[in-house]
Amino acid sequence: MSLPDRIREPLNALHARLLVRRPGLLERLVAVSLSTALAESLRPEELFALSRRVLVEGAKNRLANQDLVRGSRCQVVENAAPLRALHAQGRGAVVASLHLGPFHHALTEAAAIHPEVVVFAAEHLRDHFQRSWDRIARDRSFALDVIPSGGRAGLLRAVKALRGGAFGVIFVDSTNRAGGRAGTPERDVELEFLTLPFRMSVGPAFLAARAGVPLVCARARREGWRRTIQFSDPLEVPDTDPETLAAAVRQMYQWLETGVREKPEAWDGWVQHLLYWARSGEPPRVTRDAWDQRTRELETQIQAGSHLRLRVEPAHVAWLGEGAERLVFHGPKRRLIKATPGIVALLGAGERGVTLTELARRASVPRSELARELARLELAGLARIDP
């Protein structure tokens, strides 16, 4: 299944709340996200350690981006010559980047080469960054036009600016949909990113093809407090044929992925990357006989006052949503499973290692259904029952 659209905005809102109010829960959500790609190579405690580094790097990224307003620059700019050559020829370019490291330097270093830059931004991001972007452009004496992504009017403005020789910057791992609305085959492409099946917009390649300009990727990194921005070689996108666009976008993400693999903690996208899953893992499958048999075994143990414990690995399992509908997120299996508040409460008890006897006394589900629900969690791989 793909992530339901109705979960997207609550997830964005949850991220904002946790960042300010409950960083411990955000650390756990990031750990589970990391486990989707790294569970085979990292132990649970290592996932949590990496999660903490992700949050620290995120704070450094925000500070670095704030420093832009005070005039900071990258100490190292790699492979800028092709962009300078394009500017000398009077050609524009679409510059595609990730929220990786001090990412706003993709904008300022493009502007250091070309005095006319457009940024494609989702409405809520444009409202958030507009004032600081305007100040940076004023202080550094370059022309900046912030174009809302999506919609025909924004597309026409973007194509006109690019054909006129401007550089257009777009951060592709966000709700940005430059070049058209996602969700339709001609605007999306499935690709592999960090071993995950992602479905991403072809917008950057589409803009490049429509404007007749190349696509250039940019990735930022930090070594200590030294900031580096690296540009890729230009990629020409000759037409808007779906296969041409798909090939260009896949090539773009292959180049960008290298930066995430070199320093995974520097990518801000770990919190929200499940928004872009093309599909989740296969649902758990078990025969009715196996489920019934395990239910009977657990019922016997509950009645006998067993001291076996329900256990859930917090680095692998998290849940989202509020009210009657919850979505359980199993990182290593890449599964999204609908669940009731009662099931979520059982998972919470499993984090604490509650005994079956205690669960029977204070169950979040009816006592008559407890053994069956415990069997469901165990057979789905969400929990285990052991001493």
Side-chain angles (χ1 to χ4, degrees), residues 89-158:
Q89 298 164 14
R91 295 190 71 195
V94 174
V95 180
S97 187
L98 296 174
H99 291 85
L100 176 71
F103 54 85
H104 278 170
H105 283 291
L107 165 62
T108 57
E109 297 310 318
I113 297 170
H114 194 309
E116 184 180 353
V117 176
V118 296
V119 175
F120 310 103
E123 290 284 353
H124 67 286
L125 293 177
R126 184 182 65 163
D127 294 342
H128 182 72
F129 289 114
Q130 182 79 60
R131 184 176 298 178
S132 60
W133 283 341
D134 287 345
R135 180 175 172 181
I136 292 168
R138 183 177 65 251
D139 292 346
R140 304 194 186 195
S141 301
F142 66 86
L144 175 67
D145 185 12
V146 182
I147 298 176
S149 61
R152 184 171 179 79
L155 173 62
L156 293 175
R157 279 176 61 192

Coordinates of all heavy atoms in Angstrom, one line a residue, residues 89-158:
Q89 N 27.3 31.3 -21.6 CA 26.6 31.0 -22.8 C 25.2 31.6 -22.8 O 24.4 31.5 -23.8 CB 26.5 29.5 -23.1 CG 27.8 28.8 -23.2 CD 27.7 27.3 -23.0 OE1 26.6 26.7 -23.1 NE2 28.8 26.6 -22.9
G90 N 24.7 32.2 -21.7 CA 23.4 32.8 -21.6 C 22.3 31.7 -21.4 O 21.1 32.0 -21.6
R91 N 22.7 30.5 -20.9 CA 21.7 29.4 -20.7 C 21.4 29.3 -19.2 O 22.3 29.5 -18.3 CB 22.3 28.1 -21.2 CG 22.5 28.0 -22.7 CD 22.8 26.6 -23.0 NE 21.6 25.7 -22.9 CZ 21.7 24.4 -22.9 NH1 22.9 23.7 -22.9 NH2 20.6 23.7 -22.8
G92 N 20.2 29.0 -18.9 CA 19.8 28.8 -17.6 C 20.0 27.3 -17.2 O 20.6 26.5 -18.0
A93 N 19.6 26.9 -16.0 CA 19.7 25.6 -15.5 C 18.7 25.3 -14.4 O 18.4 26.3 -13.6 CB 21.1 25.3 -15.1
V94 N 18.2 24.1 -14.3 CA 17.5 23.7 -13.1 C 18.5 23.0 -12.1 O 19.1 22.0 -12.5 CB 16.4 22.7 -13.5 CG1 15.7 22.2 -12.2 CG2 15.4 23.3 -14.4
V95 N 18.6 23.6 -10.9 CA 19.5 23.1 -9.9 C 18.7 22.3 -8.9 O 17.9 22.9 -8.1 CB 20.3 24.2 -9.3 CG1 21.3 23.7 -8.2 CG2 21.1 25.0 -10.3
A96 N 18.9 21.0 -8.8 CA 18.1 20.2 -7.9 C 18.9 19.7 -6.7 O 20.0 19.3 -6.9 CB 17.6 18.9 -8.7
S97 N 18.4 19.9 -5.5 CA 19.1 19.6 -4.3 C 18.2 18.9 -3.3 O 17.0 18.8 -3.5 CB 19.7 20.8 -3.7 OG 20.6 20.5 -2.6
L98 N 18.9 18.3 -2.2 CA 18.1 17.7 -1.1 C 18.3 18.6 0.1 O 19.1 19.5 0.2 CB 18.8 16.3 -0.8 CG 18.7 15.2 -1.8 CD1 19.5 14.0 -1.4 CD2 17.3 14.8 -2.1
H99 N 17.5 18.3 1.1 CA 17.6 18.9 2.4 C 18.7 18.1 3.2 O 18.5 17.4 4.1 CB 16.3 18.9 3.2 CG 15.3 19.8 2.7 ND1 14.4 19.4 1.6 CD2 15.0 21.1 3.0 CE1 13.6 20.4 1.4 NE2 13.9 21.4 2.1
L100 N 19.9 18.3 2.7 CA 21.1 17.5 3.1 C 22.2 18.5 3.6 O 22.6 19.4 2.8 CB 21.6 16.6 2.0 CG 22.9 15.8 2.3 CD1 22.6 14.7 3.3 CD2 23.5 15.2 1.0
G101 N 22.6 18.4 4.8 CA 23.7 19.3 5.3 C 23.2 20.8 5.3 O 22.0 21.1 5.3
P102 N 24.1 21.8 5.1 CA 23.7 23.2 5.0 C 23.1 23.5 3.6 O 23.6 24.2 2.8 CB 25.0 23.9 5.3 CG 26.0 23.0 4.8 CD 25.5 21.6 5.1
F103 N 21.9 23.0 3.4 CA 21.3 22.9 2.1 C 21.0 24.2 1.4 O 21.0 24.3 0.2 CB 20.0 22.0 2.1 CG 19.0 22.4 3.0 CD1 18.1 23.4 2.7 CD2 18.9 21.8 4.3 CE1 17.1 23.8 3.6 CE2 17.9 22.2 5.2 CZ 17.0 23.2 4.9
H104 N 20.8 25.3 2.2 CA 20.4 26.5 1.5 C 21.6 27.1 0.7 O 21.4 28.0 -0.1 CB 19.9 27.5 2.6 CG 18.5 27.4 2.9 ND1 17.9 28.0 3.9 CD2 17.5 26.6 2.3 CE1 16.6 27.6 4.0 NE2 16.4 26.8 3.0
H105 N 22.8 26.6 0.9 CA 23.9 27.0 0.2 C 23.8 26.7 -1.3 O 24.5 27.2 -2.2 CB 25.2 26.5 0.7 CG 25.7 27.2 2.0 ND1 26.1 28.5 2.0 CD2 25.7 26.8 3.3 CE1 26.4 28.9 3.2 NE2 26.2 27.9 4.0
A106 N 23.0 25.7 -1.6 CA 22.7 25.4 -3.0 C 22.1 26.7 -3.7 O 22.4 26.9 -4.9 CB 21.7 24.2 -3.2
L107 N 21.3 27.4 -3.0 CA 20.7 28.6 -3.5 C 21.8 29.7 -3.6 O 22.0 30.4 -4.6 CB 19.6 29.1 -2.6 CG 19.1 30.5 -2.8 CD1 18.5 30.7 -4.2 CD2 18.0 30.8 -1.7
T108 N 22.5 30.0 -2.5 CA 23.4 31.1 -2.5 C 24.6 30.9 -3.4 O 25.1 31.9 -4.0 CB 23.9 31.4 -1.1 OG1 24.5 30.2 -0.5 CG2 22.8 31.8 -0.2
E109 N 25.1 29.7 -3.5 CA 26.3 29.5 -4.4 C 25.8 29.5 -5.9 O 26.6 29.8 -6.7 CB 27.0 28.2 -4.1 CG 27.6 28.2 -2.6 CD 28.4 29.4 -2.4 OE1 29.2 29.8 -3.2 OE2 28.3 30.0 -1.2
A110 N 24.6 29.1 -6.2 CA 24.1 29.3 -7.6 C 24.0 30.7 -7.9 O 24.4 31.2 -9.0 CB 22.8 28.6 -7.7
A111 N 23.6 31.5 -6.9 CA 23.4 33.0 -7.1 C 24.8 33.6 -7.2 O 24.9 34.7 -7.8 CB 22.6 33.6 -5.9
A112 N 25.8 33.1 -6.6 CA 27.2 33.6 -6.7 C 27.7 33.5 -8.1 O 28.6 34.2 -8.5 CB 28.1 32.9 -5.7
I113 N 27.1 32.5 -8.9 CA 27.6 32.3 -10.3 C 26.7 33.1 -11.2 O 27.1 33.7 -12.2 CB 27.5 30.8 -10.6 CG1 28.5 30.0 -9.7 CG2 27.8 30.6 -12.1 CD1 28.3 28.5 -9.8
H114 N 25.4 33.2 -10.9 CA 24.4 33.9 -11.8 C 23.6 34.8 -10.9 O 23.0 34.5 -9.9 CB 23.5 32.8 -12.4 CG 22.7 33.3 -13.5 ND1 21.9 34.5 -13.5 CD2 22.5 32.8 -14.8 CE1 21.3 34.7 -14.6 NE2 21.6 33.7 -15.5
P115 N 23.5 36.1 -11.3 CA 22.8 37.1 -10.5 C 21.3 37.0 -10.6 O 20.6 37.8 -10.0 CB 23.3 38.4 -11.1 CG 23.6 38.1 -12.5 CD 24.1 36.7 -12.5
E116 N 20.7 36.1 -11.3 CA 19.3 35.9 -11.4 C 18.9 34.5 -11.1 O 19.3 33.5 -11.8 CB 18.8 36.3 -12.8 CG 17.2 36.2 -12.9 CD 16.8 36.6 -14.3 OE1 17.6 37.0 -15.2 OE2 15.5 36.5 -14.6
V117 N 18.1 34.3 -10.0 CA 17.8 33.0 -9.5 C 16.3 32.9 -9.2 O 15.7 33.9 -8.6 CB 18.6 32.6 -8.2 CG1 18.2 31.3 -7.7 CG2 20.1 32.6 -8.5
V118 N 15.7 31.8 -9.5 CA 14.3 31.6 -9.1 C 14.3 30.3 -8.2 O 15.1 29.4 -8.4 CB 13.3 31.3 -10.3 CG1 13.3 32.6 -11.1 CG2 13.8 30.2 -11.1
V119 N 13.5 30.3 -7.2 CA 13.3 29.2 -6.3 C 11.9 28.7 -6.4 O 10.9 29.4 -6.4 CB 13.6 29.6 -4.8 CG1 13.3 28.4 -3.9 CG2 15.1 30.0 -4.7
F120 N 11.8 27.3 -6.6 CA 10.5 26.7 -6.6 C 10.1 26.2 -5.2 O 10.9 25.4 -4.7 CB 10.4 25.6 -7.6 CG 11.0 26.0 -9.0 CD1 12.3 25.6 -9.3 CD2 10.2 26.8 -9.8 CE1 12.8 26.0 -10.6 CE2 10.7 27.2 -11.1 CZ 12.0 26.8 -11.4
A121 N 9.1 26.6 -4.6 CA 8.8 26.3 -3.2 C 7.3 26.0 -3.0 O 6.5 26.7 -3.6 CB 9.3 27.4 -2.3
A122 N 7.0 25.0 -2.2 CA 5.6 24.8 -1.8 C 5.2 26.0 -1.0 O 6.0 26.7 -0.4 CB 5.6 23.5 -0.9
E123 N 3.9 26.2 -1.0 CA 3.3 27.5 -0.4 C 3.8 27.7 1.0 O 4.2 28.8 1.4 CB 1.8 27.4 -0.5 CG 1.2 27.6 -1.9 CD 1.3 29.0 -2.4 OE1 1.7 29.9 -1.6 OE2 1.0 29.2 -3.6
H124 N 3.7 26.6 1.9 CA 4.0 26.8 3.3 C 5.5 27.1 3.5 O 5.8 27.8 4.4 CB 3.5 25.6 4.1 CG 4.3 24.3 3.8 ND1 4.1 23.6 2.7 CD2 5.2 23.7 4.6 CE1 4.9 22.5 2.7 NE2 5.6 22.5 3.8
L125 N 6.3 26.5 2.7 CA 7.7 26.8 2.8 C 8.1 28.2 2.3 O 8.9 28.9 2.8 CB 8.5 25.7 2.0 CG 8.5 24.3 2.6 CD1 9.3 23.3 1.7 CD2 9.0 24.2 4.0
R126 N 7.4 28.6 1.2 CA 7.6 29.9 0.7 C 7.3 31.0 1.8 O 8.0 31.9 2.1 CB 6.8 30.2 -0.5 CG 7.0 31.5 -1.2 CD 6.2 31.8 -2.3 NE 4.8 31.9 -2.0 CZ 3.8 32.4 -2.8 NH1 4.1 32.9 -4.0 NH2 2.6 32.4 -2.4
D127 N 6.1 30.8 2.5 CA 5.8 31.7 3.5 C 6.8 31.7 4.7 O 7.0 32.7 5.3 CB 4.4 31.3 4.1 CG 3.3 31.5 3.0 OD1 3.5 32.2 2.1 OD2 2.2 30.9 3.2
H128 N 7.4 30.5 5.0 CA 8.3 30.4 6.1 C 9.6 31.1 5.8 O 10.2 31.7 6.7 CB 8.5 28.9 6.4 CG 9.4 28.7 7.6 ND1 9.0 28.9 8.9 CD2 10.7 28.2 7.7 CE1 10.0 28.7 9.7 NE2 11.0 28.2 9.0
F129 N 10.1 30.9 4.6 CA 11.5 31.4 4.2 C 11.5 32.7 3.5 O 12.6 33.2 3.3 CB 12.2 30.3 3.4 CG 12.6 29.0 4.2 CD1 12.0 27.8 3.9 CD2 13.5 29.1 5.2 CE1 12.3 26.7 4.6 CE2 13.8 28.0 6.0 CZ 13.2 26.7 5.7
Q130 N 10.4 33.2 3.0 CA 10.4 34.3 2.1 C 11.2 35.5 2.6 O 12.1 36.1 1.9 CB 9.0 34.8 1.8 CG 8.9 35.9 0.8 CD 9.1 35.5 -0.6 OE1 8.3 34.7 -1.1 NE2 10.1 36.0 -1.3
R131 N 11.0 35.9 3.9 CA 11.7 37.0 4.5 C 13.2 36.9 4.5 O 13.9 37.8 4.1 CB 11.2 37.3 5.9 CG 11.7 38.6 6.5 CD 11.1 38.9 7.8 NE 9.7 39.1 7.7 CZ 8.9 39.3 8.8 NH1 9.4 39.3 10.0 NH2 7.6 39.5 8.6
S132 N 13.7 35.7 4.9 CA 15.1 35.5 5.0 C 15.7 35.4 3.6 O 16.8 35.9 3.3 CB 15.5 34.2 5.8 OG 14.9 33.1 5.2
W133 N 15.0 34.8 2.6 CA 15.5 34.7 1.3 C 15.6 36.1 0.7 O 16.6 36.4 0.0 CB 14.6 33.8 0.4 CG 14.8 32.4 0.6 CD1 15.8 31.7 1.2 CD2 13.8 31.3 0.3 NE1 15.6 30.4 1.2 CE2 14.4 30.1 0.7 CE3 12.6 31.3 -0.3 CZ2 13.8 28.9 0.5 CZ3 11.9 30.1 -0.5 CH2 12.5 28.9 -0.1
D134 N 14.6 36.9 0.9 CA 14.6 38.3 0.4 C 15.8 39.1 0.9 O 16.5 39.8 0.2 CB 13.3 39.0 0.7 CG 12.1 38.5 -0.1 OD1 12.4 37.8 -1.2 OD2 11.0 38.8 0.2
R135 N 16.1 38.9 2.2 CA 17.2 39.6 2.8 C 18.5 39.2 2.3 O 19.4 40.0 2.0 CB 17.2 39.4 4.3 CG 18.3 40.1 5.0 CD 18.2 40.0 6.5 NE 19.4 40.6 7.2 CZ 19.6 40.6 8.5 NH1 18.7 40.1 9.3 NH2 20.8 41.0 9.0
I136 N 18.7 37.8 2.1 CA 19.9 37.3 1.5 C 20.1 37.9 0.1 O 21.2 38.3 -0.3 CB 19.9 35.8 1.4 CG1 19.9 35.2 2.9 CG2 21.0 35.2 0.6 CD1 19.6 33.7 2.9
A137 N 19.1 37.9 -0.7 CA 19.2 38.4 -2.1 C 19.5 39.9 -2.1 O 20.4 40.3 -2.9 CB 17.8 38.2 -2.8
R138 N 18.9 40.6 -1.2 CA 19.2 42.1 -1.1 C 20.7 42.3 -0.7 O 21.4 43.1 -1.3 CB 18.3 42.7 -0.1 CG 18.4 44.3 0.0 CD 17.4 44.9 0.9 NE 17.6 44.4 2.3 CZ 16.8 43.6 3.0 NH1 15.8 43.1 2.3 NH2 17.1 43.2 4.2
D139 N 21.1 41.6 0.3 CA 22.5 41.8 0.8 C 23.6 41.4 -0.2 O 24.7 41.9 -0.2 CB 22.7 41.1 2.2 CG 21.9 41.7 3.3 OD1 21.3 42.8 3.1 OD2 21.7 41.0 4.3
R140 N 23.2 40.4 -1.0 CA 24.2 39.8 -1.9 C 24.0 40.3 -3.3 O 24.7 39.8 -4.3 CB 24.2 38.3 -1.8 CG 24.5 37.8 -0.4 CD 24.8 36.4 -0.4 NE 24.9 35.9 1.0 CZ 25.5 34.8 1.4 NH1 26.0 34.0 0.6 NH2 25.5 34.5 2.7
S141 N 23.0 41.2 -3.5 CA 22.8 41.8 -4.8 C 22.5 40.9 -5.9 O 23.2 40.9 -7.0 CB 24.0 42.7 -5.1 OG 24.3 43.7 -4.1
F142 N 21.6 40.0 -5.7 CA 21.1 39.2 -6.8 C 19.6 39.2 -6.9 O 18.9 39.5 -5.8 CB 21.6 37.7 -6.8 CG 21.2 36.9 -5.6 CD1 20.0 36.2 -5.7 CD2 21.9 36.8 -4.5 CE1 19.5 35.4 -4.6 CE2 21.5 36.0 -3.4 CZ 20.3 35.3 -3.5
A143 N 19.0 39.0 -8.0 CA 17.6 39.0 -8.2 C 17.0 37.6 -7.9 O 17.5 36.6 -8.4 CB 17.3 39.4 -9.7
L144 N 16.0 37.6 -7.0 CA 15.4 36.4 -6.6 C 13.9 36.4 -6.8 O 13.3 37.4 -6.3 CB 15.7 36.1 -5.1 CG 15.0 34.9 -4.4 CD1 15.6 33.6 -5.1 CD2 15.2 34.9 -2.9
D145 N 13.4 35.4 -7.4 CA 11.9 35.3 -7.6 C 11.5 33.9 -7.0 O 12.0 32.9 -7.4 CB 11.6 35.3 -9.1 CG 10.1 35.3 -9.3 OD1 9.3 35.5 -8.3 OD2 9.7 35.2 -10.5
V146 N 10.6 33.9 -6.0 CA 10.2 32.7 -5.4 C 8.8 32.3 -6.0 O 7.9 33.0 -5.9 CB 10.0 32.8 -3.9 CG1 9.6 31.5 -3.3 CG2 11.3 33.3 -3.2
I147 N 8.8 31.2 -6.7 CA 7.7 30.7 -7.5 C 7.0 29.6 -6.8 O 7.6 28.6 -6.5 CB 8.1 30.3 -8.9 CG1 8.7 31.5 -9.7 CG2 6.9 29.7 -9.7 CD1 9.3 31.1 -11.0
P148 N 5.7 29.7 -6.5 CA 5.0 28.6 -5.9 C 5.0 27.4 -6.8 O 4.7 27.5 -8.0 CB 3.6 29.1 -5.6 CG 3.4 30.2 -6.6 CD 4.8 30.8 -6.8
S149 N 5.3 26.2 -6.3 CA 5.4 25.0 -7.1 C 4.0 24.5 -7.4 O 3.1 24.7 -6.6 CB 6.2 23.9 -6.4 OG 5.6 23.6 -5.2
G150 N 3.8 23.8 -8.5 CA 2.5 23.3 -8.9 C 1.7 24.5 -9.5 O 1.9 25.6 -9.2
G151 N 0.7 24.1 -10.3 CA -0.2 25.1 -10.9 C 0.4 25.6 -12.2 O 1.6 25.7 -12.4
R152 N -0.4 25.8 -13.2 CA 0.0 26.2 -14.5 C 0.7 27.6 -14.5 O 1.7 27.8 -15.2 CB -1.2 26.2 -15.5 CG -0.8 26.5 -16.9 CD -2.0 26.3 -17.9 NE -1.6 26.6 -19.2 CZ -1.0 25.8 -20.0 NH1 -0.6 24.6 -19.5 NH2 -0.7 26.1 -21.3
A153 N 0.2 28.5 -13.7 CA 0.8 29.9 -13.7 C 2.2 29.8 -13.3 O 3.1 30.5 -13.8 CB 0.0 30.8 -12.8
G154 N 2.5 29.1 -12.2 CA 3.8 29.0 -11.7 C 4.8 28.3 -12.7 O 5.9 28.7 -12.9
L155 N 4.2 27.3 -13.4 CA 5.0 26.6 -14.4 C 5.4 27.5 -15.5 O 6.6 27.5 -16.0 CB 4.2 25.4 -15.0 CG 4.8 24.6 -16.1 CD1 6.1 24.0 -15.8 CD2 3.8 23.6 -16.7
L156 N 4.5 28.3 -16.0 CA 4.8 29.3 -17.1 C 5.8 30.3 -16.7 O 6.7 30.6 -17.4 CB 3.5 29.9 -17.6 CG 2.5 29.0 -18.2 CD1 1.2 29.8 -18.6 CD2 3.1 28.4 -19.5
R157 N 5.7 30.8 -15.4 CA 6.7 31.8 -14.9 C 8.1 31.1 -14.9 O 9.1 31.7 -15.2 CB 6.3 32.2 -13.5 CG 5.3 33.3 -13.5 CD 4.9 33.7 -12.0 NE 6.0 34.1 -11.3 CZ 6.0 34.2 -9.9 NH1 4.9 33.9 -9.3 NH2 7.0 34.7 -9.3
A158 N 8.1 29.9 -14.4 CA 9.4 29.2 -14.3 C 10.0 29.0 -15.6 O 11.2 29.2 -15.8 CB 9.2 27.9 -13.5

